[in-house]
């Protein structure tokens, strides 16, 4: 089947189902809620939706612990509601991506239940190891979420590997039967009509022979061994040749710690096994590798991340663009300013949306939603957050630890979408499963619908503009004044038209002059977040897009 690469002309919207919209009043988002909001997503100019997991799951990691890959959780509306959503999305020319989580399953998955009892053919579906004689664990790897990566199972009398939560045992991808299961899952959803997959931590699925200790990484031990493991390319090729190549679909692969050079080995357009990668540099401009090691925000670091990926992939592979998802705190609170919330939300939108690639917006980003200050550890829901609170190596006071959660926790972006000023932000008529950000009375979609200059309407205009400009899809990218710690300036040029994007990241006025070769008097100002831009000054977090044709 010919690959038409339709994803290049679309903007995607990520739905994290639990907190998107509750349709039946039980306090949790669901597909009935999504159905109500399809027109809203379309109104943004989006041409696709990525659904975080919708499958039956005990919810140890909010659905990333799957108990059945070929069904939809009843609390989300089951298969029937999913079919309606799929049809509704397609009727509006929106593609649908499922989250494919195959590094691990839930420990409540039937495969694990049988594997721990050594029932064939499931015995080797997971990564089991006997205890060592000296009582040591099979190796020194850490779990990404909860202590060590090994847990002893009483039923089988062996340890199993879990790179994430205790309730997320890793699958043994070296077992051909497991790979056949993966292919069955892919075919099942593609045959049902879904258009592609976001592949969860896919770079972890091939573990090195013998599971050696990791001496490379001081924290998160193991990462140096299992990330980009020895047979990863081989397995991805197998999935592609046996299944994906037979559909005009797309794949988006989550890839922690990937450089553009490494990424090109997977996503180059001649022979790559995947279409796009989720890299992490663009969400590490205020931290060291992870949100849990915070640093002051550095615009230069952000610009370097943007520009490196733009330059290195141009003409060879396709970028995935994002600033938010369900794994990171809200971007306005991180890279922008809560004081200049609307201005900075818009500048961040402009900084991302005119680059080359396929943008993904995360629910609430289009409203400029902020981090949510939960008041006690009991209000947090995320497994990683709760573990980090209780096991903080730094032994800080409870107040200091809460302050860290407020800065770093994924729950910041998992509070319900703020639809209106009604109780619970119009998200639910019941009791929400996690606290609603109390600022919903000011920040909500209904209010923003009534205002031309809202963040929401800015996103709509920016996306419409993006779609109308040929240079954004295929033009060259150039950055100017890359050393500036105040401004991000870039141009796109396809020979027929040229744009200059100007973004200030300062909370005060700054002097501005266009880079050489850009005559602003001949340009049309096609997007701005202040009503009357001044030629030689930028207001706090001001952004502008100029067009020459
Ligand atoms: C990915 C997901 C994250 C999940 C983890 C384990 O990083 O985005 O939400 O917790 O994988 O599946
Ligand atoms: Ca519900």
């Amino acid at each position: 089947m010919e690959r038409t690469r339709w994803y290049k002309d679309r903007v995607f919207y990520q739905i994290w189902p639990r907190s998107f919209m509750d349709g039946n009043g039980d306090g949790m988002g669901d597909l009935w809620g999504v159905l109500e909001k399809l027109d809203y997503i379309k109104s943004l100019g989006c041409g696709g939706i990525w659904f975080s997991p919708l499958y039956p799951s005990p919810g140890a990691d909010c659905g990333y612990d799957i108990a059945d890959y070929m069904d939809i959780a009843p609390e989300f509306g089951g298969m029937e509601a999913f079919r309606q959503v799929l049809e509704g999305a397609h009727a509006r020319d929106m593609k649908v991506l499922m989250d494919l989580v195959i590094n691990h399953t839930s420990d409540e998955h039937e495969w694990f239940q049988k594997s721990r009892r050594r029932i064939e053919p499931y015995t080797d579906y997971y990564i089991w190891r006997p205890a060592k004689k000296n009582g040591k664990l099979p190796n020194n790897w850490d779990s990404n979420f909860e202590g060590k990566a090994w847990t002893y199972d009483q039923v089988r009398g062996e340890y199993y590997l879990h790179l994430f939560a205790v309730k997320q045992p890793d699958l043994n991808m070296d077992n051909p039967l497991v790979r056949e299961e993966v292919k069955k899952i892919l075919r099942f959803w593609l045959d049902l009509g879904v258009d592609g997959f976001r592949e969860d931590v896919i770079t972890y699925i091939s573990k090195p022979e013998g599971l050696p200790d990791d001496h490379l990484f001081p924290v998160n031990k193991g990462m140096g061994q299992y990330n980009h493991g020895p047979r990863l390319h081989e397995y991805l090729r197998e999935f592609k040749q046996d299944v994906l190549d037979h559909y005009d679909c797309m794949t988006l692969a989550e890839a922690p710690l990937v450089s553009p050079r490494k990424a090109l080995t997977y996503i180059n357009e001649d022979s790559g096994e995947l279409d796009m990668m989720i890299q992490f540099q663009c969400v590490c401009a205020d931290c060291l590798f992870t949100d849990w090691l915070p640093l002051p925000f550095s615009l230069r670091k952000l610009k370097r991340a943007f520009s490196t990926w733009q330059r290195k992939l141009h003409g060879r592979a396709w970028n995935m663009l994002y600033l938010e998802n369900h794994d990171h705190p809200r971007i306005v609170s991180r890279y922008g300013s809560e004081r200049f919330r609307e201005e900075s939300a818009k500048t961040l939108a402009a900084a991302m949306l005119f680059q080359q690639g396929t943008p993904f917006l995360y629910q609430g980003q289009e409203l400029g939603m902020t981090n949510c200050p939960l008041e006690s550890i009991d209000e947090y829901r995320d497994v990683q957050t709760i573990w980090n609170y209780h096991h903080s190596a730094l032994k800080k006071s409870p107040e200091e630890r809460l302050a860290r959660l407020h800065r770093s926790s994924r729950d910041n972006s998992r509070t319900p979408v703020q639809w209106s000023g009604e109780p619970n932000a119009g998200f639910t008529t019941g009791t929400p499963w996690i606290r609603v950000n109390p600022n919903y009375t000011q920040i909500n979609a209904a209010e923003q619908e009534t205002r031309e200059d809202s963040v929401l309407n800015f996103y709509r205009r920016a996306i419409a503009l993006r779609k109308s400009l040929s240079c954004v899809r295929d033009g060259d990218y150039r950055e100017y004044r890359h050393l500036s710690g105040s401004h991000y300036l870039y141009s796109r040029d396809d020979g027929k038209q040229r744009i200059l994007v100007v973004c200030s990241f300062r909370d005060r006025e700054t002097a501005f002059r266009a880079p050489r070769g850009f005559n602003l008097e001949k340009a049309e100002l096609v997007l701005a977040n202040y009503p009357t831009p001044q030629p030689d000054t930028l207001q706090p977090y001001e952004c502008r897009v100029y067009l020459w044709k």
Side-chain angles (χ1 to χ4, degrees):
M1 163 98 47
E2 196 210 339
R3 298 185 79 75
T4 60
R5 303 196 190 273
W6 45 261
Y7 53 84
K8 292 190 173 179
D9 297 300
R10 289 169 189 258
V11 176
F12 276 81
Y13 190 88
Q14 181 193 351
I15 291 184
W16 197 75
R18 280 184 182 228
S19 290
F20 182 66
M21 177 67 196
D22 180 16
N24 70 346
D26 69 352
M28 217 162 91
D30 50 48
L31 291 167
W32 302 294
V34 172
L35 267 179
E36 289 171 39
K37 298 293 181 190
L38 286 177
D39 284 327
Y40 169 83
I41 299 170
K42 186 70 196 175
S43 80
L44 288 163
C46 288
I49 301 174
W50 150 28
F51 283 101
S52 275
L54 292 164
Y55 318 92
S57 157
D61 184 19
C62 293
Y64 283 87
D65 48 320
I66 297 173
D68 182 353
Y69 287 94
M70 307 222 213
D71 203 354
I72 298 289
E75 64 271 27
F76 289 148
M79 258 324 190
E80 200 184 307
F82 181 74
R83 281 210 185 85
Q84 285 176 28
V85 165
L86 188 61
E87 218 169 88
H90 285 164
R92 291 165 179 82
D93 188 28
M94 294 196 287
K95 304 280 189 185
V96 171
L97 308 183
M98 295 299 266
D99 215 309
L100 181 79
V101 189
I102 51 162
N103 177 68
H104 44 266
T105 70
S106 164
D107 64 342
E108 295 180 34
H109 195 291
E110 189 196 338
W111 301 338
F112 188 79
Q113 289 306 319
K114 292 192 166 154
S115 190
R116 63 166 16 155
R117 295 185 173 82
R118 297 178 201 263
I119 298 175
E120 291 301 349
Y122 302 101
T123 313
D124 293 325
Y125 265 43
Y126 295 84
I127 302 174
W128 295 100
R129 288 292 179 276
K132 284 190 176 168
K133 285 208 189 71
N134 54 13
K136 279 203 181 150
L137 298 175
N139 69 19
N140 73 350
W141 297 1
D142 294 319
S143 145
N144 284 271
F145 288 170
E146 298 183 285
K148 291 310 226 179
W150 296 96
T151 291
Y152 188 74
D153 182 53
Q154 296 289 352
V155 178
R156 172 138 165 170
E158 286 188 312
Y159 284 91
Y160 65 89
L161 178 73
H162 56 88
L163 297 183
F164 293 90
V166 174
K167 282 181 68 64
Q168 289 171 299
D170 277 51
L171 280 166
N172 174 16
M173 208 52 73
D174 297 334
N175 181 342
L177 294 178
V178 172
R179 301 202 296 281
E180 286 309 316
E181 300 278 10
V182 171
K183 291 185 247 174
K184 256 194 248 166
I185 297 165
L186 292 170
R187 282 192 203 102
F188 176 83
W189 292 104
L190 289 166
D191 288 339
L192 204 85
V194 317
D195 304 288
F197 301 92
R198 178 266 187 186
E199 303 188 349
D200 191 66
V201 290
I202 197 75
T203 57
Y204 291 4
I205 62 171
S206 163
K207 278 76 175 176
E209 186 87 41
L211 308 178
D213 278 351
D214 187 7
H215 300 295
L216 200 66
F217 277 65
V219 288
N220 237 358
K221 280 202 182 61
M223 185 93 166
Q225 292 288 355
Y226 60 73
N227 198 20
H228 305 287
R231 299 179 68 187
L232 179 56
H233 278 289
E234 179 191 329
Y235 297 158
L236 294 174
R237 210 172 306 126
E238 183 178 328
F239 300 152
K240 181 167 188 286
Q241 285 171 356
D242 291 359
V243 184
L244 300 167
D245 273 349
H246 304 274
Y247 301 81
D248 187 18
C249 62
M250 66 148 269
T251 50
L252 166 66
E254 188 191 22
L257 285 191
V258 75
S259 64
R261 195 146 70 130
K262 188 91 183 164
L264 281 168
T265 68
Y266 301 99
I267 59 171
N268 76 78
E269 289 185 359
D270 310 324
S271 59
E273 299 102 4
L274 301 160
D275 294 314
M276 287 184 271
M277 285 201 129
I278 306 179
Q279 46 95 359
F280 281 64
Q281 271 108 319
C282 60
V283 290
C284 284
D286 65 351
C287 61
L288 192 68
F289 301 120
T290 133
D291 299 316
W292 293 94
L293 296 172
L295 294 170
F297 169 62
S298 159
L299 178 62
R300 283 189 212 165
K301 203 173 164 195
L302 180 65
K303 295 196 294 185
R304 210 180 312 132
F306 281 158
S307 296
T308 312
W309 282 86
Q310 286 293 297
R311 273 199 306 270
K312 300 236 161 123
L313 264 51
H314 186 81
R316 294 183 215 160
W318 198 248
N319 267 293
M320 181 269 191
L321 310 169
Y322 78 108
L323 286 168
E324 280 194 21
N325 64 34
H326 64 295
D327 287 332
H328 307 282
R330 292 284 181 183
I331 207 65
V332 170
S333 305
R334 298 181 59 184
Y335 295 178
S337 154
E338 290 184 11
R339 184 165 150 236
F340 293 98
R341 189 184 61 81
E342 298 215 345
E343 293 82 355
S344 64
K346 293 172 190 169
T347 259
L348 284 159
M352 170 175 94
L353 283 174
F354 299 96
Q355 294 183 42
Q356 184 172 47
T358 299
F360 279 69
L361 311 182
Y362 175 67
Q363 61 187 39
Q365 178 180 349
E366 77 282 13
L367 304 174
M369 278 178 62
T370 63
N371 282 354
C372 182
L374 298 176
E375 276 161 19
S376 88
I377 184 62
D378 305 327
E379 290 193 326
Y380 283 92
R381 299 286 176 265
D382 166 38
V383 54
Q384 179 190 34
T385 302
I386 294 169
W387 201 92
N388 283 352
Y389 177 86
H390 291 295
H391 299 85
S392 167
L394 302 168
K395 296 262 183 315
K396 300 207 159 152
S397 71
E399 293 71 34
E400 284 169 311
R401 278 186 265 166
L402 269 182
R404 172 56 63 83
L405 302 197
H406 183 198
R407 163 89 196 246
S408 304
S409 169
R410 310 193 282 183
D411 279 342
N412 278 304
S413 59
R414 296 177 172 192
T415 61
V417 172
Q418 294 162 207
W419 295 109
S420 72
E422 305 284 299
N424 294 320
F427 161 73
T428 181
T429 52
T431 307
W433 73 281
I434 189 171
R435 193 196 229 261
V436 176
N437 193 324
N439 67 17
Y440 77 87
T441 49
Q442 291 102 54
I443 306 173
N444 64 68
E447 189 280 325
Q448 297 196 23
E449 291 285 3
T450 66
R451 239 180 341 113
E452 219 10 67
D453 67 349
S454 63
V455 178
L456 174 59
N457 280 317
F458 185 88
Y459 263 97
R460 288 182 174 137
R461 279 199 298 278
I463 291 170
L465 176 62
R466 172 190 167 90
K467 292 202 286 194
S468 74
L469 296 170
S470 61
C471 66
V472 174
R473 188 189 194 270
D474 294 313
D476 286 337
Y477 169 96
R478 271 194 71 182
E479 194 200 326
Y480 305 87
R481 316 232 169 90
H482 67 280
L483 291 178
S484 164
S486 305
H487 301 159
Y488 174 40
L489 264 58
Y490 65 100
S491 67
R492 304 296 311 282
D493 187 343
D494 68 355
K496 290 186 253 50
Q497 59 180 205
R498 184 160 71 132
I499 58 167
L500 178 70
V501 183
V502 177
C503 301
S504 169
F505 281 77
R506 279 280 173 237
D507 57 3
R508 54 179 164 76
E509 258 186 39
T510 44
F512 168 70
R513 106 195 118 69
R516 209 171 330 134
F518 290 89
N519 183 353
L520 299 188
E521 277 164 21
K522 296 226 164 105
E524 189 188 340
L525 182 65
V526 284
L527 189 70
N529 65 346
Y530 278 83
T532 42
Q534 303 301 307
D536 45 18
T537 352
L538 291 177
Q539 300 297 309
Y541 294 96
E542 182 165 356
C543 67
R544 305 173 187 175
V545 180
Y546 292 102
L547 169 67
W548 290 262
K549 35 176 198 207

